[in-house]
Amino acid sequence: MKNLQLKRSHAPIFWGLFGAGGMLAALFGPMLVAITGFAAPLGWLPAKAASYQGALALAHSLLGKAALWVLISLLLWHAAHRIYHSLHDVGIQGGALAKALTYGLAAAGTVLALLLLCRIG
């Protein structure tokens, strides 16, 4: 029997980030649209609920920073993976360049979000 060498792949990491980001987009996306697009402008929420001060207070707490960073970064990775595979679907064979641009922008956005959240209070 031959000794088979299995090829290691980074694909499970990207598929995991894609799946987690997709789950967050599916769960929180409609809620965010409903709150920021309908409930707050139509006055269905207390003025304090959708205020800048409330959002800033969330970004000042350690738990709030962590939640915002996870939400932002996973949505970026989900978008990057979807864009990369959509390019392939429409016939653009970018290969390594397309992969570097899409996933590189997601990585840069993740780091930038972390840095900006750490700068807040």
Side-chain angles (χ1 to χ4, degrees):
M1 186 164 180
K2 288 185 177 181
N3 186 8
L4 297 175
Q5 285 283 74
L6 297 176
K7 182 181 172 191
R8 290 186 177 235
S9 172
H10 297 301
I13 295 168
F14 295 115
W15 277 104
L17 291 169
F18 169 75
M23 182 195 69
L24 286 176
L27 292 176
F28 292 113
M31 177 192 60
L32 290 172
V33 169
I35 290 172
T36 60
F38 298 107
L42 294 174
W44 297 346
L45 296 174
K48 199 174 181 185
S51 68
Y52 173 77
Q53 289 79 17
L56 190 60
L58 174 69
H60 275 288
S61 72
L62 186 60
L63 188 58
K65 286 180 185 189
L68 288 171
W69 182 70
V70 166
L71 183 66
I72 291 167
S73 62
L74 287 177
L75 290 176
L76 284 172
W77 284 99
H78 177 78
H81 198 72
R82 187 168 290 279
I83 290 169
Y84 175 73
H85 285 282
S86 294
L87 289 174
H88 178 72
D89 290 343
V90 297
I92 299 173
Q93 302 296 330
L97 178 62
K99 195 176 276 192
L101 284 174
T102 53
Y103 295 127
L105 285 173
T110 298
V111 171
L112 182 63
L114 180 64
L115 293 174
L116 291 174
L117 285 168
C118 287
R119 281 187 66 201
I120 296 175

